[in-house]
Amino acid sequence: MAGTTPGTPGTPRVLRAMNDRAALDLLLEHGPLSRTRIGKLTGLSKPTASQLLARLEAAGLVVATGTTEGRPGPNAQLYAVNARAAYAAGLDVNGDRIHAAVADVTGGIVGEYELRTPGRSAVGVVRQVTDALDGAVKAAGIALDEVRRLVIGTPGAFDPATGRLRYASHLPGWHSPTLLEELAAALPMPFEYENDVNLVAIAEQRVGAARGHADFALLWNEAGIGAALVLGGRLHRGFTGGAGEVGFLPVPGTPLVRQVTKANSGGYQELAGVQAVPRIARAIGIDTPEQPYVPVASGLLSRAAETHEDDPLYAELLDRYAERVATGLASIVAVLDPELIVLSGDVLVAGGEPLRARVQSELAELAASRPRLVLAAVPRRPVLRGALESALATTRDEVFDTSR
């Protein structure tokens, strides 16, 4: 076609690339498919589907894998995405450790590594990040240069104006204004950074309870309480990356906290954060230690979920804690009016359906609109899963683009 370039919309090359990507996405979603099934799902003719598969196989993006069985007629060849076509990595960072993982292009985790990180310094952070990544790459049995993209999840958010990590004073060694530059110099692949709770929302949106929802909020409660906001299918990060730092939210029922970033706490954290659960329990007559907060709170709510029908004390624990959770959620609902709210993090998930139902009921009394509340559906390492999903999305866009 005269006057066009290889990337011009509507040219045969671009149309072929669009069909290629559609077929690859279908293979990721459904697993191995036959040529006939791919043709039906994409609307392509059998000859065109055959050409597409031959093209993708030659590019190393799909592989033949077995045949159909148990159907009338000859067995049909099945095709799947070539898992070895590319790799991506994710890091989940908290105050005690860095957990790293490598996934192949299909999303399967092929290597993991956990690095304990006591007493971090600014200089040590770069070394520990590279050591954690190297450990996961070694466990995957691949070379470091095969990893095309890395996403690092941390508490808080890096301020785009200063490069400093904000809202996470409890994360030692990560507050140097040159840290991102040092990481970029040390890492051999492009990397991105993201708030840990935002990554949980990505995981729930891609493979969990929020699939198919373009607008939702996610409330997270483990060591700290936070939220992620997804509007129009995209994360809302705010001007400084602090959107969702709802632990600082002033709420009824607690004294007003001033200079919240220095205190690293706020009204909603004091009202419904992890430390509130054992305090409520002790106040109503349940003998319990307070610390360590996360295991103690999760244990109390898990037992309450199991015994609340027979034990009035544990039923009261659920009632009181649900009211506190709903108090902060009511402010979020008043501003955002989300379709869905996902309850996540060890503490909220431990309360299970009994806690979810109570929060839903309380919220109906406190908020003008009534979003549906659901429990998180990504059970294992959701921050890390979100980091991998984020890294894989960019990696697939690059690797699956056959128009180049």
Side-chain angles (χ1 to χ4, degrees), residues 15-318:
L15 293 175
R16 283 196 300 268
M18 292 172 64
N19 289 335
D20 291 348
R21 181 60 192 264
L24 289 164
D25 287 342
L26 287 168
L27 289 170
L28 287 173
E29 181 180 358
H30 297 284
L33 296 172
S34 67
R35 179 200 63 181
T36 300
R37 184 63 176 155
I38 290 173
K40 288 181 178 179
L41 291 172
T42 58
L44 299 175
S45 67
K46 288 183 179 180
T48 302
S50 295
Q51 293 171 5
L52 177 151
L53 286 168
R55 188 165 59 248
L56 293 179
E57 194 171 13
L61 296 177
V62 302
V63 291
T65 172
T67 58
T68 58
E69 296 180 358
R71 296 182 180 181
N75 294 340
Q77 179 68 61
L78 295 174
Y79 296 87
V81 171
N82 180 8
R84 298 181 179 181
Y87 298 90
L91 266 61
D92 170 16
V93 179
N94 69 20
D96 302 315
R97 53 97 184 114
I98 300 176
H99 195 104
V102 174
D104 63 42
V105 77
T106 70
I109 295 178
V110 294
E112 294 186 68
Y113 184 78
E114 182 171 289
L115 179 72
R116 305 303 297 182
T117 56
R120 264 188 297 233
S121 66
V123 175
V125 163
V126 176
R127 176 64 181 271
Q128 287 167 347
V129 164
T130 57
D131 284 351
L133 178 61
D134 286 344
V137 168
K138 183 178 179 181
I142 63 172
L144 186 61
D145 61 9
E146 293 182 79
V147 178
R148 298 181 67 100
R149 178 128 344 223
L150 170 69
V151 170
I152 302 173
T154 70
F158 285 92
D159 190 319
T162 66
R164 288 182 177 272
L165 184 67
R166 303 188 66 193
Y167 317 110
S169 59
H170 61 293
L171 196 64
W174 283 77
H175 301 89
S176 166
T178 62
L179 176 60
L180 296 180
E181 296 176 2
E182 293 170 17
L183 286 171
L187 293 168
M189 76 289 292
F191 80 97
E192 300 172 13
Y193 51 88
E194 185 59 86
N195 171 262
D196 53 358
V197 182
N198 283 347
L199 291 175
V200 176
I202 289 174
E204 293 292 338
Q205 185 182 34
R206 302 277 173 83
V207 297
R211 290 187 72 176
H213 294 274
D215 296 274
F216 70 94
L218 179 140
L219 184 69
W220 169 268
N221 195 2
E222 284 194 8
I225 195 166
L229 315 173
V230 176
L231 306 173
R234 302 183 65 180
L235 282 167
H236 176 68
R237 297 177 176 86
F239 180 65
T240 65
E245 294 289 344
V246 296
F248 299 132
L249 184 72
V251 292
T254 59
L256 192 64
V257 178
R258 299 185 182 276
Q259 295 186 328
V260 293
T261 54
K262 291 184 179 180
N264 199 36
S265 186
Y268 197 22
Q269 178 67 41
E270 296 302 315
L271 184 70
V274 61
Q275 72 272 28
V277 178
R279 293 173 187 174
I280 297 170
R282 294 174 70 176
I284 63 178
I286 297 174
D287 185 20
T288 178
E290 284 197 14
Q291 298 187 36
Y293 283 127
V294 173
V296 168
S298 298
L300 286 167
L301 290 173
S302 179
R303 183 172 179 183
E306 295 173 359
T307 65
H308 66 100
E309 293 182 347
D310 302 315
D311 191 326
L313 287 181
Y314 281 98
E316 186 175 357
L317 173 62
L318 287 174

Side-chain angles (χ1 to χ4, degrees), residues 1 4 7-15 18:
M1 298 177 64
T4 64
T8 303
T11 63
R13 176 178 291 186
V14 172
L15 293 175
M18 292 172 64

